[in-house]
Amino acid sequence: MYIFLLEGVTIFAKPHFEKKREGKQRLILDAARRVFCRKGFLAVKMQDIINECGISRGGIYIYYASVDKVFLAVLERRNREGISKINASVDAREPFVAMYEAFMAKQKERLINFEHSLFRAYCEYIFSKSVTEVRAFRDTQLAHLRGSVEAILRHGASQGVLRKADITQLAVHVIAVIDGLSILALGDALTEQTVDEQFLILKKLIINS
């Protein structure tokens, strides 16, 4: 890490090799996400990711040793970027209703487009592992989702838009609805109308009229 001083301001600049490394990782994870959305998890081989990103086999193994490692990195980056976006919206004092609706629109897109989203790969990953192997993974993903929902709801409370309620319990309720719809999606029994109806009920429960 290089440090420069400019008119009393300290500027940190990453070395070239570190920027190059981060660029390669972004390229790999962007390509891997496309592959996982297209093929799920079980059907993906490292060669699929190699073909998608155009990096040599040796080059990709420098960063990730297996399909499992790549998939977990894809989810970790998605989670990190998601909460960063929410925090930026909160800092910018964006209207709660707009934030909430944008978040739920993403959930709807994931549910309706089950066959072309990371959701299918996520489910396949879980079902391919033992209960012991997957417990920590599921807890981490649930904690991320709960944290995201709670951050949005706290923002609504700060703006006086949210109905009076326990934020944590309300977040659990939102997640329970999303999880319930996810199960329907898994069984190919979910319609867009059902998603819209359930999300409307949630919105009426959450937002002051």
Side-chain angles (χ1 to χ4, degrees):
M1 182 74 74
Y2 299 112
I3 304 176
F4 300 94
L5 293 177
L6 180 62
E7 295 182 357
V9 178
T10 303
I11 302 174
F12 294 88
K14 293 181 179 179
H16 174 70
F17 75 87
E18 190 173 342
K19 290 182 179 179
K20 186 176 180 180
R21 179 183 178 87
E22 290 178 356
K24 279 284 184 67
Q25 286 180 304
R26 280 196 302 271
L27 177 64
I28 293 169
L29 296 183
D30 285 344
R33 179 166 184 155
R34 293 193 298 271
V35 173
F36 288 126
C37 287
R38 191 165 63 240
K39 301 186 67 171
F41 173 78
L42 294 177
V44 175
K45 308 298 182 186
M46 281 296 271
Q47 190 61 50
D48 297 316
I49 300 172
I50 290 167
N51 293 342
E52 187 77 18
C53 67
I55 294 176
S56 69
R57 177 173 290 272
I60 200 168
Y61 276 103
I62 291 174
Y63 301 97
Y64 304 104
S66 66
V67 172
D68 285 45
K69 296 294 186 183
V70 177
F71 183 64
L72 293 177
V74 167
L75 290 182
E76 181 183 359
R77 189 182 70 163
R78 181 200 63 176
N79 293 346
R80 187 171 60 250
E81 290 176 349
I83 196 65
S84 293
K85 185 175 181 180
I86 289 172
N87 289 337
S89 295
V90 170
D91 291 342
R93 298 181 180 180
E94 292 184 12
F96 165 72
V97 174
M99 279 183 62
Y100 175 80
E101 289 183 342
F103 176 81
M104 298 307 286
K106 281 193 173 182
Q107 299 306 311
K108 175 181 175 179
E109 181 181 7
R110 177 181 66 87
L111 291 165
I112 296 301
N113 298 296
F114 166 73
E115 289 295 327
H116 305 287
S117 73
L118 281 176
F119 180 48
R120 175 168 62 121
Y122 170 85
C123 293
E124 289 182 359
Y125 178 84
I126 287 177
F127 295 142
S128 70
K129 306 298 179 183
S130 69
V131 173
T132 302
E133 286 179 303
V134 85
R135 182 177 291 115
F137 168 77
R138 293 189 67 178
D139 287 348
T140 297
Q141 298 305 310
L142 180 60
H144 163 73
L145 180 58
R146 184 170 60 244
S148 296
V149 174
E150 287 185 4
I152 294 171
L153 295 179
R154 283 195 298 271
H155 185 56
S158 71
Q159 292 188 347
V161 182
L162 197 72
R163 290 186 183 278
K164 291 183 179 179
D166 184 299
I167 296 296
T168 299
Q169 290 303 312
L170 193 54
V172 169
H173 186 71
V174 172
I175 293 169
V177 171
I178 293 172
D179 281 351
L181 293 174
S182 298
I183 293 173
L184 290 178
L186 278 174
D188 198 27
L190 185 65
T191 65
E192 183 174 358
Q193 180 180 350
T194 299
V195 175
D196 288 340
E197 289 172 349
Q198 293 304 311
F199 281 7
L200 180 59
I201 292 171
L202 267 181
K203 186 176 179 179
K204 289 180 178 178
L205 174 67
I206 291 171
I207 301 173
N208 284 320
S209 57

